[in-house]
Amino acid sequence: MKKFLILFLFFTTVSLSAQSIKVKGTIKDSIGNLLEFANVIASIKATGKTESYGITNYQGRYQLDLPKGNNYVLRASFLGYETKEQTVNVSTDAENIDLDFILKPQENQLDDVEIVYEMPVTVKGDTIVYNADSFTNGDERKLGDVMKKLPGVEVNEDGEIQVEGKTVTKVMVEGKDFFDGDSKLATKNIPADAVDKVEVLRNYNEVDQMRGLGNDRDNVAINIRLKEGKKNFWFGEVTAGAGLADEYGGENGRYLVHPKLFYYSPKYSINIITDFNNIGEVPFTFRDYFNFTGGFKNFNKGGGTNFRISDSDLGFAVSQNDRAKSIDAKFIAGNFSYAVNDKLDVSGFGILSDNKTNIVNNSIRQYILTGITENTNTENDQRNQLAMLKLSSTYKPNANFQLDYDALIKTSKQTEDDATISIVDGNQNNISEVKENKPFSINQTANAYYTLNDKNIFAAEVQHLYQNEDPFYQAVQDSIPFRGVFTVIDRQHPLNSDFDTFDPLVQSDRYNVNQNKTVKSNKLDGKVDYYYILNNVSNLNFTVGTTYSNQKFNSSIFQILDNGNQNNFNEDDFNNDVSYTFTDAFFGLHYKLKTGKFIFTPGVTLHNYSLKNEQLGTTSTQNDWMVLPDINVVLELKKSENLRFNYAITSEYSDVNNYAQAYVFNNYNRLFRGNRELENSLSHSYNLTYFSFNLFNYTNIGGNLSYTRRIDAIKTNTELVGINQVSSPINFDSNFPDETFSAVGRFSKTIKKVQFKLDAAVFLSKTNNTINNEIQESQSLTQNYNASVLSNFKDFPNFEVGYRFMKNDYDNGGATQIFFTNRPYANVNIRFLKDFNLFTEWDYYKYTNDAKTIENSYSFFNANLYYKHGESPWEFSIQATNILDTESINNDSFNDQFNTTSQYFVLPRIVMFVIKYDL
């Protein structure tokens, strides 16, 4: 397969090159200055159809590939200059042509803006504008399909947009926020045919007076410009379908309903998205819910402190459509923005989601220290009911002042029922688990920005988080849970449970142990930044602020006896009543200097940390002073090529979960207890990033090296008896640091209408933990490689062919395991009989290990056939997924205690008839 792919790429390249010539040259102004990012567009003289385009590099050079046998009109343009035309005759036996342009300044720049704006790509400062129609072929369905075809832009498997290797943090449509969290909702829902221009806003800062003062290098936003027919009109689509699934999937009937509606005007915008289906499409996952910040940013990012309020750790399974046997999803979302007047804007969104998921998996878990192997068969039914509401306002009475207020409310009800059969050394344990959590949080923030004059700028931020969680856990099993914790082991007969003293556990036929827990958190952050502008290349930034957090943690464990009575575990070891307060008062100073091609931003922050936890009738306190430095260096090699380096020392503090000393359930064979004497850890992080975005030869190169060394790390001390684990956090000796290293590289090059891509990622981690009083080092080395070629023809079938290879190398205390995944794949898009369009996707997996004890191969094949007559709003399709009826996939994972190899059963073959109507 690898040889075939290499030969295919070679012959494709040679064939394309033989049918065209290169037109190349330079573009200068009237006094001989070379113009970078000037545009050249070539259109066929007879039809006016655009054939090719080019962008000049830093040397003012451009090049075009033109098919032989036509006459072309070449137009060169640059912002502020008159457009110049030249005609070129490319005969069937033509050779490469050199052609230079000299542009004259233009008095009326507005006309020039209009001409430049129709170019495929326009670069102006930190903004790149793509003309969508120049890169699409008409087969695109959603915004994500458009974004994948833009040079320098990628869409990952989760639907998130990435530019220059950085994830887009904000998506706007016509300058108005579109569900201002991640970009997934935009890529999967905005219709492709509504997109006119895509504006990539690099070094983005939504507050005008703050731009350029700090480090905005990692901030990227996207603004979608709509086609004229989509402005001031309602548009959208209604999709509905029905079908059948194979029998082993349970219910045979399948359905989908996707109404979507959009409206944009200069005054207001409305977006309504709905999605109801049971075919495995998950519009909004449990993971999306926790990752979706609604535009809220990390407070005092880069200030040197890592402290966050964690979510309940009950081990809820995160549903993925490639690991679930059945999924029933319901989703409704609405987003609005309204310009009250020229000073006040309000906006907001609401999201409701209800997902039911059934997950069935078989796992082999190998415990490193004891050598025990546990085989499990688990069926998991979970339901996630999620709701979010955000309201925002921006008040800007003049150019010198801006006031923002945001409130984000999140609530959910998560339930999970697990039925597990665990087999260890031939002994079977039937386990039933119930998990339920109803978390609620409200996050409010207010920001004010004031420019006193050209030299003095102020920014203030206040943020408050209230969070309430009440997770309930139940485990019912045949075996005695946690001998030695819930019972007292007889020293004369340590291996025979018949001699145990049952206290607090009561002997039962099946042991029904439960846990109630509540965690209430209040966190208040506040800071003021003062920027003093020294000159046009340097400034000073003074920061003063504080973080105050108070948490109440309560938990209790009890047993339901065979007769239905409740047995409370009354000892202190099984009941938590903790009050925990964390305070960080800080003062920071940063200096930013631009000199030549370099931008230096060194800084230092002084922190005073105060911790207090009250439990078991006593109070424990800590007080620490720390000075934490950081530095950011940017080397601008060219306007579209840069090298960035970051170094920082971070102090990490835990929230109340790691301080509560009584036992808390994680699952049926894992208990956790906190450590009230826990101290902070320090992390040294180094990050080097390179990116080159070259529109001259359509080549994009990106790379990242990252290294982190954690000293006095907060690690886990585990007592492992059989498969039962009792863990607690400790500060590890600085002689045993945790280290992580990653190297990521990306390369893509477009030749004619074919794009070649190569991605590589290597992740190495080394961690230390204590298991049964022995220090154990664990290493994980993960390698991912992907090579692919994809086409973007307008009049010919399009394809994507690629090969992925993944190697996972685990070493736990000298016990090694290596897993391999080889994954060739191919996608084909064929338009035929004018109105028909066929999409096919094929993925092949070969999963093995070095011991040759595992070898599994499986394929997934999907196909969609669409029919749409001309400009008709009606579209009909037949959509089939998992045509080969593959029943399961494989996965492996690693931690310090054990390695796990899992088999997940997946959705069956599904065939749907779907109708779509464009509004």
Side-chain angles (χ1 to χ4, degrees), residues 303-474:
T305 299
N306 182 4
F307 172 81
R308 61 180 294 271
I309 303 296
S310 62
D311 300 308
S312 172
D313 185 15
L314 269 180
F316 280 92
V318 179
S319 62
Q320 295 177 255
N321 60 355
D322 63 345
R323 296 186 190 176
K325 191 175 179 182
S326 68
I327 299 177
D328 191 332
K330 298 177 176 64
F331 176 75
I332 301 175
N335 173 216
F336 81 96
S337 67
Y338 177 62
V340 180
N341 51 48
D342 58 356
K343 299 177 182 179
L344 178 63
D345 289 307
V346 295
S347 62
F349 65 77
I351 294 175
L352 295 174
S353 175
D354 186 357
N355 293 342
K356 299 177 183 178
T357 308
N358 175 254
I359 300 174
V360 178
N361 78 292
N362 299 319
S363 295
I364 302 172
R365 186 171 292 123
Q366 296 180 318
Y367 290 83
I368 306 305
L369 191 66
T370 62
I372 292 175
T373 297
E374 179 189 16
N375 291 274
T376 62
N377 172 268
T378 302
E379 181 163 0
N380 171 294
D381 287 302
Q382 61 175 275
R383 184 175 186 181
N384 294 315
Q385 297 169 283
L386 317 172
M388 302 176 66
L389 175 66
K390 184 187 179 186
L391 297 173
S392 303
S393 63
T394 298
Y395 176 66
K396 191 172 183 179
N398 53 60
N400 295 327
F401 180 75
Q402 180 172 323
L403 177 65
D404 298 335
Y405 172 78
D406 300 276
L408 176 66
I409 300 172
K410 298 166 68 172
T411 186
S412 67
K413 181 180 180 181
Q414 305 141 23
T415 58
E416 185 174 313
D417 295 315
D418 292 349
T420 300
I421 298 174
S422 170
I423 300 175
V424 179
D425 294 331
N427 298 313
Q428 179 173 311
N429 185 19
N430 294 318
I431 307 155
S432 298
E433 294 177 277
V434 174
K435 305 172 185 177
E436 182 175 313
N437 193 14
K438 292 181 286 186
F440 171 83
S441 70
I442 178 169
N443 199 342
Q444 301 178 83
T445 184
N447 297 274
Y449 309 94
Y450 175 64
T451 301
L452 179 64
N453 50 46
D454 291 342
K455 291 284 188 179
N456 300 277
I457 299 174
F458 298 86
E461 177 181 358
V462 178
Q463 183 169 308
H464 178 258
L465 169 67
Y466 170 76
Q467 182 172 289
N468 186 8
E469 297 183 290
D470 62 345
F472 169 78
Y473 177 75
Q474 179 189 72

Side-chain angles (χ1 to χ4, degrees), residues 311-317 416 418 433-436 471-475 482 486 513-515 517 553 557 657-658 662-674 716-718 724-729 895 897-898:
D311 300 308
S312 172
D313 185 15
L314 269 180
F316 280 92
E416 185 174 313
D418 292 349
E433 294 177 277
V434 174
K435 305 172 185 177
E436 182 175 313
F472 169 78
Y473 177 75
Q474 179 189 72
F482 299 102
F486 293 164
V513 183
N514 303 259
Q515 174 182 272
K517 187 169 78 171
F553 184 106
I557 297 176
N657 289 278
N658 275 342
Y663 290 106
V664 176
F665 267 104
N666 281 349
N667 64 19
Y668 69 90
N669 69 338
R670 294 183 215 169
L671 282 178
F672 179 86
R673 65 187 312 178
T716 301
N717 179 31
T718 301
N724 290 323
Q725 307 161 61
V726 180
S727 302
S728 60
N895 65 27
Q897 288 82 38
F898 51 80

Side-chain angles (χ1 to χ4, degrees), residues 497-532:
S497 62
D498 293 337
F499 292 89
D500 286 5
T501 300
F502 282 76
D503 182 30
L505 191 71
V506 173
Q507 197 164 12
S508 303
D509 292 333
R510 276 175 64 79
Y511 295 93
N512 184 341
V513 183
N514 303 259
Q515 174 182 272
N516 286 318
K517 187 169 78 171
T518 60
V519 184
K520 293 184 179 180
S521 305
N522 279 280
K523 181 168 174 278
L524 180 66
D525 302 294
K527 70 167 184 172
V528 175
D529 281 292
Y530 166 59
Y531 295 89
Y532 179 68

Side-chain angles (χ1 to χ4, degrees), residues 252-267:
N252 290 352
R254 292 292 187 263
Y255 69 91
L256 67 87
V257 180
H258 298 325
K260 300 167 187 175
L261 198 59
F262 309 93
Y263 182 87
Y264 284 89
S265 73
K267 190 75 173 177

